[in-house]
Amino acid sequence: MEIQMKDVADFECYHNRQVILNYYNDEDFLWKRDGFHFDSIQLLNEQLIFLKRDGNYLTILLKKYDTCTKNIDFQNYYILNKGEDRLEIYFP
């Protein structure tokens, strides 16, 4: 079950962890998977910025997605949707 997130500031609570990003299109076609360790997450101008441990960063443009939900069946699991495209963000 999923609940709509009203405030994406929850992401900034995650520090010194690993994240898995699963990108889907056409509903269930996984076209890209990325996983890495990061130091912190920043929210800036509708961007979710993962500051990686190696000094690099990865940016997700939140305005590309219509909704952000949290899966309450699995802890630390978020879903960004736009039509049939989906980004699943999981913090193991």
Side-chain angles (χ1 to χ4, degrees):
M1 176 179 247
E2 299 169 5
I3 58 171
Q4 182 91 17
M5 291 180 62
K6 296 179 182 172
D7 185 10
V8 292
D10 288 355
F11 287 112
E12 291 183 308
C13 297
Y14 293 98
H15 300 279
N16 302 316
R17 296 193 63 156
Q18 181 182 13
V19 65
I20 306 297
L21 305 173
N22 291 322
Y23 297 84
Y24 294 88
N25 64 11
D26 296 328
E27 293 188 24
D28 290 323
F29 177 71
L30 176 65
W31 67 274
K32 182 179 176 183
R33 173 176 281 157
D34 195 5
F36 53 88
H37 288 86
F38 65 93
D39 288 326
S40 63
I41 299 174
Q42 294 178 351
L43 286 168
L44 182 64
N45 299 326
E46 296 189 52
Q47 298 178 50
L48 191 61
I49 303 168
F50 289 87
L51 302 171
K52 296 181 179 183
R53 290 189 177 168
D54 64 3
N56 292 318
Y57 61 91
L58 178 117
T59 301
I60 296 171
L61 300 174
L62 295 174
K63 62 184 174 185
K64 285 180 54 176
Y65 299 95
D66 296 328
T67 61
C68 181
T69 57
K70 183 174 184 174
N71 188 316
I72 60 174
D73 294 329
F74 300 99
Q75 187 177 12
N76 306 317
Y77 196 92
Y78 301 88
I79 301 168
L80 304 174
N81 285 300
K82 175 146 185 154
E84 294 181 351
D85 294 336
R86 180 172 85 243
L87 169 57
E88 296 180 355
I89 302 172
Y90 176 61
F91 301 93

